[in-house]
Amino acid sequence: MKANITIMPGDGVGPEITREAVKVLQAIETSFGHDFTLEEVLFGGIAIDESGSPYPEETQRSCKNSDAVLLGSVGGPKWSDPNMKVRPEKEGLLEMRAHLGVYANIRPIKTYPQLIENSPIKNRYLDNIDMVFVRELTGGIYFGKKEKTESSASDICEYSKTEIERITRVAANIAQDRRKKITSVDKANVMATSQLWRSTTTELIAEEYTDLELEHIFIDAAAMHLLSRPADFDVILTDNLFGDILTDEAAILTGSIGMLPSACLGENSFGVFEPIHGSAPDIANQGIANPCGAILSAAMLLQYSLNLKEEAQVIEQSVSGVIEDGILTKDLTESSYVSTEEVGTAVMEKILQT
């Protein structure tokens, strides 16, 4: 297969972890006879420094002309002043998502037996966790009208029925290949948008996906049950704000946020793929960042955008094998840890041996 992939290393640890994910993609290219054209472009804080914009025109063109985008991380203290005219998150990430039409955020949460001790949650709650969050990404309170004066401020939360139906179908299609259960999270007892969310999801699933089980749960209950009975969840469907909060909460189940990948999907299989962690400027350029989230994001890229499911599975199995071998970065072990590059090389070698 031939494919064009835009690479946006970004800021902080982004270049370090992205380098290892690219190494893994190239190993897949070699092992399976594919032809990947990789174009590296600026994005985030480094792009502000170079061009004045976190999402320059050259980067926009590259993204639009690609089959998928692999992103490292963005932001850092240098660009964190809320009074700055342009910031990596708002004028970068949010604008990029809207521009590319990536409206569905997919975040799998899976525990590895070897890493259970790393989680602050009691071990008995952590067996057999395998869930997927499906978060609406381009609507809701983050994209609503905002007003601010010296004495008051407001953020409008707005959703259309069409937006809710679109994200619900994404969740339903994923659920059909899993345990056929969707948990929809809302606050329908007080919020009008949540009332529309609940009625729309109920109607759509009943009409189009009769083989699926749909349950509704309030956001406060979801936050509690995510820690007290996490193995009960399969596919969790949320709006933008609730999904942002719950997915970060769920990250502690795995023992390290560095293990977690994500996908931001649009129409026609196009997507932006990135680890869920931030730029971690405090450990940048030390060679200790965990590249597994970025590597597993590359696996999601192969699965969702290029429909290379076998290749994606090989990456996932290789990451699992490296963990079983005890080849771990500093966030996963208190002693005998290895570098970012060594983990990436170990995953690459397992792929080449497949």
Side-chain angles (χ1 to χ4, degrees):
M1 166 181 278
K2 290 186 176 182
N4 296 318
I5 302 172
T6 294
I7 308 295
M8 302 193 300
D11 309 312
V13 299
E16 300 170 67
I17 59 171
T18 302
R19 190 178 304 121
E20 303 312 311
V22 166
K23 184 189 298 181
V24 166
L25 282 175
Q26 291 171 333
I28 289 291
E29 183 181 24
T30 299
S31 294
F32 289 86
H34 299 307
D35 183 5
F36 299 152
T37 298
L38 309 179
E39 181 180 15
E40 184 172 316
V41 295
L42 296 176
F43 183 75
I46 188 173
I48 294 176
D49 291 347
E50 294 289 334
S51 70
S53 169
Y55 187 37
E57 290 186 6
E58 179 183 351
T59 299
Q60 294 180 33
R61 285 194 297 270
S62 179
C63 292
K64 281 290 189 179
N65 292 330
S66 67
D67 298 295
V69 175
L70 183 65
L71 170 62
S73 58
V74 297
K78 184 178 181 180
W79 311 281
S80 63
D81 184 352
N83 295 317
M84 289 182 64
K85 291 184 178 180
V86 292
R87 298 179 63 194
E89 296 82 5
K90 183 180 178 181
E91 285 78 17
L93 279 177
L94 295 187
E95 183 175 322
M96 180 265 292
R97 290 168 181 168
H99 177 246
L100 298 178
V102 287
Y103 62 86
N105 183 222
I106 315 299
R107 291 191 179 187
I109 304 290
K110 179 182 178 181
T111 52
Y112 296 84
Q114 299 82 5
L115 304 180
I116 282 180
E117 293 289 342
N118 291 50
S119 175
I121 306 301
K122 291 181 179 179
N123 290 7
R124 67 175 182 268
Y125 296 121
L126 300 177
D127 289 333
N128 303 314
I129 293 176
D130 185 4
M131 69 183 81
V132 176
F133 280 89
V134 180
R135 166 191 169 194
E136 202 289 323
L137 201 59
T138 56
I141 200 166
Y142 289 168
F143 285 86
K145 182 180 178 182
K146 305 178 186 306
E147 294 184 356
K148 182 181 179 182
T149 69
E150 291 185 0
S151 59
S152 67
S154 65
D155 296 274
I156 302 299
C157 182
E158 184 176 5
Y159 271 111
S160 68
K161 188 171 183 178
T162 299
E163 288 176 311
I164 299 169
E165 289 176 337
R166 182 173 66 174
I167 193 67
T168 301
R169 288 191 178 94
V170 174
N173 290 332
I174 291 174
Q176 284 189 318
D177 292 331
R178 293 173 55 87
R179 288 183 280 159
K180 298 185 180 298
K181 178 183 177 181
I182 297 176
T183 300
S184 180
V185 177
D186 61 39
K187 194 61 176 173
N189 55 337
V190 294
M191 294 178 63
T193 47
S194 281
Q195 291 162 9
L196 179 64
W197 184 281
R198 181 170 293 208
S199 62
T200 301
T201 55
T202 299
E203 179 182 346
L204 187 142
I205 296 299
E207 291 181 356
E208 299 183 18
Y209 298 90
T210 56
D211 59 331
L212 298 184
E213 174 190 352
L214 173 65
E215 70 170 348
H216 299 282
I217 187 170
F218 293 145
I219 174 62
D220 41 358
M224 178 180 65
H225 294 316
L226 195 57
L227 300 183
S228 62
R229 54 177 184 90
D232 291 347
F233 292 106
D234 184 22
V235 176
I236 301 177
L237 172 63
T238 78
D239 75 359
N240 205 342
L241 174 61
F242 297 158
D244 192 6
I245 296 168
L246 289 179
T247 51
D248 281 357
E249 179 192 9
I252 70 168
L253 299 170
T254 66
S256 172
I257 197 171
M259 293 299 302
L260 300 179
S262 75
C264 300
L265 304 180
E267 303 292 348
N268 302 318
S269 75
F270 177 84
V272 178
F273 302 83
E274 59 181 306
I276 77 166
H277 61 72
S279 61
D282 57 318
I283 62 169
N285 302 313
Q286 296 180 34
I288 60 174
N290 187 343
C292 289
I295 291 170
L296 291 170
S297 295
M300 293 186 75
L301 183 156
L302 297 177
Q303 177 181 350
Y304 286 100
S305 280
L306 304 186
N307 198 31
L308 299 176
K309 296 181 180 179
E310 180 184 355
E311 288 86 334
Q313 189 175 44
V314 166
I315 293 178
E316 292 170 359
Q317 291 171 344
S318 297
V319 170
S320 294
V322 166
I323 292 171
E324 290 175 7
D325 292 343
I327 304 174
L328 308 173
T329 43
K330 189 176 182 179
D331 57 314
L332 300 176
T333 182
E334 295 181 356
S335 61
S336 301
Y337 58 85
V338 302
S339 69
T340 305
E341 182 179 0
E342 286 173 301
V343 171
T345 298
V347 175
M348 177 194 70
E349 290 175 347
K350 284 190 178 294
I351 292 170
L352 295 175
Q353 293 166 6
T354 301

